[in-house]
Amino acid sequence: MRIKLYAFCLFMAGTIFVLSSCQSTEAKKTEKQSIKQDDHAEHDHSHEGHEGHDHEGHNHSHDDGEKVAKDSHAGHDHSSEEGHSDGEIIFTEAQAKTAQLKTEVIELRDFHRVIRTSGQIENAVGDDVTVVATTNGVVSFSKSNFTAGSAIKSGENLLAISSKNLLEGDPTNKASAEYESAKNEWERAQSLIEDQLISQKNYQDAKLRFENAKTTFNALSANRSSNGVLVKAPIAGFVKNKLIQDGDYVTVGQPIATITKNKKLQLRADVAEKYFSDMHSIKTAYFRTAYDNKTLKLEQLNGRLVSYGKGIEKNSFYIPMLFEFDNVGTVLPGAYVDISLIAHPIPQALTVPVSALTEDQGVYFIYLKKGKEVFSRQEVKIGHSDGERVLITSGLNKGEEIVTNGVYQVKIAANASLIPEGHVH
């Protein structure tokens, strides 16, 4: 009984202790909150309480900060300067005179669709003649300057072929001996045939032998000289190529040189098969050589279309198209050229000269004249080109004035205007 009573007393005492501890903890919390509120009252950060905390000279307000930033940036203005506000380029009259500046007012004009390709300059058919050896022997040229490009007159002595000291002997002496023998036999056959002492066949054989010997003898004797048998130029023109050297041995019929009249040339254009359906509409062409930036027009060279292939050449992926034109002396036979085939016309098209365009990473630009000394750069989209002018599909309007010469100098001025004067860090 005593034990139970003792346990009960202990339980009640613990309960009272716990309750007392809780009340004490709550009282302490209340006391701390009271102290904190009192402290906060003493250090009030409200605007009223800041009257004693003078911010004059230590102002954190945004208005005054922006003013300071603006004042400090006044000498470092990033805004566009006058004359550059709309991307304008100032190019003075003095600069224009130095650059030989030229402009053009855009007008609508007829423009022809162009097929760009490449090809080669060739000699016209029938314009070349090959000189061959008329006998066997050793060659000696009549003139030391017999080289490619040398001018040749018709009938001029080109070389001599000598058979002296050769085992086969002098062909002229042989021809002379054969001629005399054939002549005697022919005269004898004439007297015998009258008495029917020889057959008609023997008579005809003697006659044929005499005529052949006579032809050979006349040919050799007519061109015979102390140096051998002469070979003469069959036409007037120029030496295209020399196939042998002085002192070479040649045989009858062997090519010695090629002489060209050099009056006509051919332009061979290699056309891709995808343009085959357009080839019937092509009438002329422009071309440009690698050694000259000038574009040549066939109509100015009395040129004409000769023919075009109806199929693809063997070992090739192109269809040949041939034009013929007069050789004016400025075109090199054998040269490879860039060709613009002039096809379907485009009426009232907007075009600019090739010289007016500049390119930057695949984007094309022209320079517009806005005022007396004011220009601007304008992006454009381009189409076909005929070698002289380029079709503009967008970015330009009729009546606008563009720079056609001195474009590079204007471009330099545009790049310089990107950094305004006085912009110093």
Side-chain angles (χ1 to χ4, degrees):
M1 182 69 178
R2 287 179 180 177
I3 294 173
K4 290 181 179 181
L5 181 60
Y6 180 74
F8 177 76
C9 289
L10 288 176
F11 174 75
M12 290 301 294
T15 302
I16 293 170
F17 176 78
V18 170
L19 290 175
S20 174
S21 297
C22 290
Q23 289 175 356
S24 176
T25 301
E26 191 67 27
K28 287 179 179 180
K29 283 184 179 181
T30 303
E31 185 180 40
K32 287 181 179 181
Q33 289 176 354
S34 176
I35 294 171
K36 188 175 182 180
Q37 288 175 356
D38 292 338
D39 293 338
H40 194 68
E42 292 177 5
H43 295 280
D44 187 10
H45 283 275
S46 65
H47 290 288
E48 293 178 358
H50 266 62
E51 291 179 359
H53 187 75
D54 188 7
H55 274 242
E56 185 178 351
H58 190 72
N59 194 346
H60 290 279
S61 67
H62 292 289
D63 291 340
D64 290 343
E66 289 177 358
K67 182 178 180 181
V68 171
K70 288 179 180 177
D71 292 340
S72 64
H73 212 66
H76 193 74
D77 188 7
H78 283 273
S79 62
S80 299
E81 293 187 349
E82 184 179 356
H84 300 281
S85 59
D86 297 321
E88 293 178 342
I89 305 163
I90 304 302
F91 199 72
T92 65
E93 289 185 337
Q95 289 175 304
K97 185 177 181 180
T98 302
Q100 297 181 350
L101 190 77
K102 293 181 181 179
T103 62
E104 175 184 307
V105 177
I106 297 301
E107 296 179 355
L108 299 180
R109 63 179 71 193
D110 290 343
F111 183 78
H112 293 268
R113 184 190 171 205
V114 177
I115 297 174
R116 301 298 299 275
T117 185
S118 61
Q120 190 176 15
I121 303 297
E122 301 175 342
N123 289 104
V125 176
D127 206 46
D128 295 351
V129 175
T130 301
V131 179
V132 300
T134 57
T135 185
N136 300 340
V138 177
V139 172
S140 60
F141 288 99
S142 301
K143 47 195 294 188
S144 59
N145 62 341
F146 187 84
T147 56
S150 300
I152 300 298
K153 297 178 182 179
S154 179
E156 180 181 355
N157 293 332
L158 300 179
L159 53 96
I161 303 174
S162 175
S163 299
K164 292 179 180 180
N165 303 322
L166 294 179
L167 181 63
E168 58 199 49
D170 191 334
T172 305
N173 294 335
K174 282 183 166 184
S176 178
E178 175 65 18
Y179 170 70
E180 291 297 332
S181 174
K183 180 181 178 182
N184 292 334
E185 185 177 345
W186 161 243
E187 290 175 349
R188 178 175 177 275
Q190 283 182 311
S191 62
L192 294 176
I193 194 64
E194 293 178 358
D195 298 331
Q196 296 182 353
L197 297 176
I198 61 172
S199 66
Q200 189 69 28
K201 181 180 180 303
N202 291 337
Y203 173 78
Q204 293 297 331
D205 289 343
K207 181 180 180 181
L208 179 62
R209 181 190 172 197
F210 169 71
E211 290 178 349
N212 289 337
K214 181 181 179 180
T215 301
T216 303
F217 174 73
N218 290 338
L220 292 175
S221 61
N223 297 316
R224 188 176 184 180
S225 71
S226 59
N227 295 325
V229 178
L230 298 175
V231 177
K232 298 182 179 181
I235 62 170
F238 300 88
V239 178
K240 182 178 180 181
N241 48 39
K242 181 180 173 183
L243 305 176
I244 61 171
Q245 299 300 321
D246 197 38
D248 287 351
Y249 177 83
V250 296
T251 58
V252 176
Q254 180 178 338
I256 295 174
T258 303
I259 298 177
T260 178
K261 296 177 183 178
N262 214 29
K263 292 183 178 180
K264 292 285 185 180
L265 294 174
Q266 281 190 343
L267 172 67
R268 191 198 77 239
D270 299 321
V271 186
E273 58 181 288
K274 65 180 180 179
Y275 297 117
F276 178 71
S277 59
D278 298 316
M279 294 179 73
H280 70 279
S281 65
I282 297 173
K283 301 300 180 184
T284 187
Y286 303 160
F287 65 94
R288 184 190 297 263
T289 63
Y291 54 83
D292 190 352
N293 290 326
K294 184 179 179 181
T295 299
L296 300 174
K297 299 181 179 181
L298 287 184
E299 59 263 29
Q300 297 175 349
L301 301 174
N302 195 28
R304 65 183 181 89
L305 174 65
V306 176
S307 64
Y308 64 88
K310 303 302 186 293
I312 298 176
E313 291 185 338
K314 187 178 180 181
N315 300 325
S316 174
F317 299 99
Y318 300 97
I319 305 170
M321 176 171 265
L322 296 176
F323 299 87
E324 189 175 85
F325 61 95
D326 291 341
N327 184 5
V328 295
T330 59
V331 182
L332 180 65
Y336 289 92
V337 293
D338 294 323
I339 303 172
S340 298
L341 300 174
I342 311 304
H344 304 292
I346 302 174
Q348 298 298 293
L350 195 152
T351 64
V352 299
V354 173
S355 62
L357 287 172
T358 60
E359 184 264 340
D360 186 6
Q361 297 183 354
V363 181
Y364 291 89
F365 298 91
I366 51 93
Y367 288 90
L368 296 173
K369 185 174 184 180
K370 294 291 190 178
K372 189 174 182 180
E373 295 183 340
V374 180
F375 299 81
S376 66
R377 190 172 78 158
Q378 175 66 42
E379 180 182 345
V380 294
K381 303 294 184 182
I382 67 171
H384 298 289
S385 171
D386 62 4
E388 287 190 336
R389 302 188 72 85
V390 179
L391 181 67
I392 302 298
T393 58
S394 67
L396 191 61
N397 299 311
K398 175 185 175 183
E400 291 184 308
E401 189 173 0
I402 65 169
V403 178
T404 59
N405 190 65
V407 174
Y408 182 70
Q409 287 80 356
V410 177
K411 182 178 180 180
I412 293 176
N415 292 335
S417 67
L418 294 179
I419 305 178
E421 295 181 3
H423 189 101
V424 180
H425 287 274

